[in-house]
Amino acid sequence: MTRTRIGAALLALLTAVGTATATDPRQALQPFNDLIGTWRVTGTPEGKPRTFWTEEMTWAWQFKGSDAWLSLAADKGKYFTRGELRTLGDKEVYQLTLTTPAKESRTFTGKLDDRRLTLTREDDKTKETQQIVVTLLHANRFLFDYAVKPQGKTLFAKQYRVGATKEGVSFAEGDGKPECIISGGLGTIRVTYKGQTYYVCCSGCRDEFNAEPEKYIKEYEEAKKKKKK
């Protein structure tokens, strides 16, 4: 084989590997579509069932070029006020960055296993391992558990649990609801283009659709054709 052919073969191999390993953030974050929307939140410290707090939490899609992620805003958040959930290039590995009321940033990484996202981080100051477990129980219900493992210990000790219920959505709702043309999640906001009505799930998807409607309509129609085959 000539050097030219060897070079061409190597280039083709590298291109194929790159294509196979590249992950579309929108696709990788599909398992979290149920989070989009506003949630009523009740938090309970471990071991103190009569002591609780309430807050409101809102998740939405965000886009920048080919990148996509989920943003989190917590109104009157006790432990964090905002956050971002991203994929780390592997569709099974995720990163959750949270901002505390004191404006400190904390980044957790982990994997999703059967609608259960387990994330951890090592704290530089305390040397403890901090763990967050998000359990997606239902389209309208999820749990958020926070636990710590002191340095030298083997077990995590739960600090608190947050239970969240989605606002404005009945537990009886099921299939047949409008689909978001951008994310594939539950469509709750109407958008129109050239007299046709479509649906999006949040303001982030609405802005993205309005910026490039023909692109997303084409992708949506192609996806529907594939499902029918």
Side-chain angles (χ1 to χ4, degrees):
M1 182 180 292
T2 66
R3 289 185 179 180
T4 301
R5 290 182 178 178
I6 292 175
L10 180 59
L11 178 60
L13 177 61
L14 291 174
T15 301
V17 171
T19 301
T21 57
T23 301
D24 179 353
R26 282 194 296 155
Q27 293 297 321
L29 291 166
Q30 285 286 318
F32 303 100
N33 263 330
D34 285 343
L35 289 177
I36 302 302
T38 300
W39 301 77
R40 298 187 305 274
V41 174
T42 301
T44 308
E46 184 67 11
K48 299 179 180 180
R50 295 184 180 181
T51 304
F52 66 91
W53 73 92
T54 61
E55 56 190 76
E56 186 177 273
M57 186 181 296
T58 301
W59 291 85
W61 279 95
Q62 300 294 327
F63 303 93
K64 186 175 182 180
S66 60
D67 194 12
W69 64 95
L70 300 187
S71 67
L72 165 64
D75 183 33
K76 299 179 181 179
K78 182 178 178 65
Y79 290 105
F80 54 87
T81 58
R82 63 179 184 271
E84 292 183 351
L85 179 62
R86 295 175 177 269
T87 176
L88 292 181
D90 182 327
K91 67 179 182 179
E92 296 180 351
V93 180
Y94 299 92
Q95 175 180 286
L96 176 64
T97 301
L98 298 174
T99 301
T100 70
K103 301 187 185 305
E104 296 177 340
S105 180
R106 298 178 180 176
T107 300
F108 298 77
T109 58
K111 292 189 175 184
L112 178 68
D113 181 18
D114 192 24
R115 295 180 64 81
R116 183 183 174 93
L117 177 64
T118 302
L119 310 131
T120 59
R121 73 180 289 269
E122 302 296 325
D123 189 272
D124 293 334
K125 295 179 180 179
T126 64
K127 305 303 180 183
E128 68 184 8
T129 302
Q130 300 168 349
Q131 181 189 72
I132 289 174
V133 179
V134 181
T135 306
L136 304 172
L137 296 175
H138 188 275
N140 306 319
R141 177 75 174 168
F142 76 86
L143 299 176
F144 181 105
D145 292 310
Y146 178 82
V148 299
K149 183 174 67 174
Q151 187 178 31
K153 300 294 183 178
T154 57
L155 299 177
F156 282 93
K158 186 187 296 184
Q159 302 297 298
Y160 65 85
R161 161 171 284 188
V162 164
T165 303
K166 185 174 286 187
E167 289 189 346
V169 180
S170 169
F171 275 91
E173 289 188 350
D175 295 335
K177 297 297 180 180
E179 180 179 340
C180 174
I181 193 171
I182 305 294
S183 70
L186 178 63
T188 57
I189 303 172
R190 289 187 180 186
V191 291
T192 59
Y193 183 71
K194 292 185 177 180
Q196 294 295 317
T197 299
Y198 305 93
Y199 289 85
V200 293
C201 61
C202 63
S203 60
C205 287
R206 179 190 60 201
D207 293 344
E208 186 69 6
F209 175 83
N210 289 335
E212 298 184 271
E214 293 186 358
K215 169 188 173 183
Y216 289 108
I217 291 172
K218 180 180 179 182
E219 291 180 357
Y220 181 66
E221 295 298 333
E222 290 177 348
K224 286 202 303 184
K225 289 179 182 179
K226 288 181 180 179
K227 287 181 180 180
K228 291 180 179 180
K229 292 181 179 180

